[in-house]
Amino acid sequence: MERNAVRLLSAITTAVFILAAQTTGGGQTTSSAPHKVQPPRSARLYVFHCGILHIADAGRFGFKKEELATTEMSVACFLVTHPKGTLIWDTGAVPDNAWMPTGNRTTQHIVLPDLQQRDVTIVKPLKGQLAEVGYAPSDITYLALSHYHYDHTANANEFAGATWLVRQAEREAMFAEKSPGTTQPSTYSALRNSNTLILENDEHDVFGDGTVVIKSAPGHTPGHQILYLNLAKTGGVVLSGDLYHYPEERKLERVPTFEFNQEQTRATRVAIDAFLTKMGAQLWIQHDFNGNAKLKKSPAFYE
């Protein structure tokens, strides 16, 4: 009996030792392969927290400070997963490789090429949020930017291996000899050599089933675009890009002073309002700080 007990104890000790050896090196076991995410049965939308933009001059948006509920703006990034692939929509204001996440909020001071300056508070890197739901940049099928402003392109280079969906006028402006204002060309320079699909029609059905549709919405920039999602449970959702920045813009019919074409923006807003009514869709204003705070964030999702 005593000899059997010794053998049993020895076997247990050996098993514990092997398990400990397998879990060294960052706590990852060597016996299992990385988990491969299975495509969803229907389209899903993940909302990522990509920062808070601090606005010092509300006048640029046509407001006095007291006319706004808050001057702060959310910076949102989105992942759409679909049975036929994945789409990243907008990529933040601060590149992941420009800061070291600590778990606490950190404010980055950005100086743009035209010497405009901005402050953005961030907590989570975009790639970390992607990884949390099982994806890496190499898993992304399509990249689409609502437009070329710095607070939407920060991590665009990370997705240079995806197919870039863009309007010709927007691409030409991004790679012009003199870049437009409020841009950070270094953050999207790798897209110059990306596999690129130029969108020529008003609507582009990304996966061919009407659930993920990019619509032309020019005015804010020459090739500005918005994203319509027809989600099985949530219903219709339109991600606004910068068609509006504050909900008060829509209510009070204000147009920012720095639009590429203010009259075109006004006409686009009328057309998109008609589209929202026709489709019975919600409008999510991407920079709406209070509205964005109410959305569930990744790893939760809308479907």
Side-chain angles (χ1 to χ4, degrees):
M1 291 290 290
E2 184 176 342
R3 183 174 299 175
N4 289 338
V6 170
R7 287 175 178 172
L8 178 61
L9 178 61
S10 177
I12 292 172
T13 302
T14 301
V16 171
F17 177 81
I18 292 172
L19 181 60
Q22 288 178 336
T23 57
T24 58
Q28 297 180 346
T29 63
T30 58
S31 59
S32 60
H35 175 65
K36 181 67 175 177
V37 177
Q38 295 299 313
R41 293 184 178 181
S42 61
R44 290 180 179 178
L45 174 64
Y46 293 86
V47 183
F48 296 138
H49 193 304
C50 286
I52 301 168
L53 182 57
H54 306 290
I55 301 299
D57 181 13
R60 297 177 63 247
F61 300 89
F63 292 99
K64 297 177 181 178
K65 185 176 180 180
E66 57 269 21
E67 293 180 295
L68 297 170
T70 176
T71 60
E72 304 281 66
M73 290 185 184
S74 60
V75 180
C77 308
F78 302 88
L79 169 67
V80 179
T81 63
H82 184 276
K84 294 182 179 180
T86 52
L87 167 74
I88 283 286
W89 176 261
D90 287 343
T91 63
V94 180
D96 285 357
N97 60 13
W99 65 290
M100 180 67 71
T102 63
N104 299 316
R105 293 188 173 200
T106 179
T107 299
Q108 298 287 309
H109 185 69
I110 299 173
V111 179
L112 300 172
D114 61 2
L115 301 184
Q116 294 187 60
Q117 300 183 40
R118 301 286 188 272
D119 288 321
V120 182
T121 297
I122 44 181
V123 179
K124 298 180 177 181
L126 175 56
K127 284 194 294 183
Q129 294 178 79
L130 268 176
E132 191 176 20
V133 293
Y135 294 91
S138 59
D139 297 319
I140 302 306
T141 314
Y142 299 106
L143 166 69
L145 305 170
S146 59
H147 63 296
Y148 55 55
H149 285 162
Y150 79 98
D151 52 322
H152 297 258
T153 68
N155 289 289
N157 285 338
E158 297 290 343
F159 304 98
T163 297
W164 182 27
L165 307 177
V166 64
R167 309 278 161 179
Q168 183 66 40
E170 195 79 357
R171 189 182 188 282
E172 289 179 356
M174 291 168 74
F175 293 111
E177 185 175 345
K178 182 179 180 181
S179 301
T182 324
T183 61
Q184 280 280 42
S186 63
T187 64
Y188 57 75
S189 59
L191 299 186
R192 184 188 291 272
N193 298 316
S194 286
N195 182 33
T196 302
L197 180 61
I198 299 297
L199 307 186
E200 298 179 349
N201 298 323
D202 174 65
E203 294 186 355
H204 176 72
D205 189 344
V206 178
F207 297 108
D209 62 359
T211 60
V212 184
V213 178
I214 298 174
K215 285 184 61 65
S216 177
H220 187 60
T221 63
H224 183 270
Q225 51 193 12
I226 61 172
L227 184 66
Y228 167 70
L229 302 165
N230 184 11
L231 302 172
K233 294 182 180 179
T234 306
V237 172
V238 167
L239 305 183
S240 71
D242 278 10
L243 183 64
Y244 300 95
H245 303 80
Y246 296 108
E248 290 88 349
E249 279 180 53
R250 194 178 185 200
K251 180 179 179 180
L252 301 177
E253 299 184 354
R254 304 287 174 83
V255 177
T257 61
F258 54 93
E259 300 293 276
F260 171 74
N261 184 321
Q262 287 186 318
E263 291 308 311
Q264 196 172 42
T265 292
R266 290 188 175 95
T268 292
R269 288 178 175 182
V270 171
I272 298 303
D273 277 349
F275 177 79
L276 290 166
T277 300
K278 175 184 175 181
M279 306 306 291
Q282 309 171 51
L283 177 66
W284 291 4
I285 298 175
Q286 292 181 209
H287 281 307
D288 177 7
F289 182 82
N290 292 328
N292 183 272
K294 296 174 184 177
L295 299 178
K296 56 186 176 184
K297 304 301 189 298
S298 177
F301 54 84
Y302 293 88
E303 61 181 346

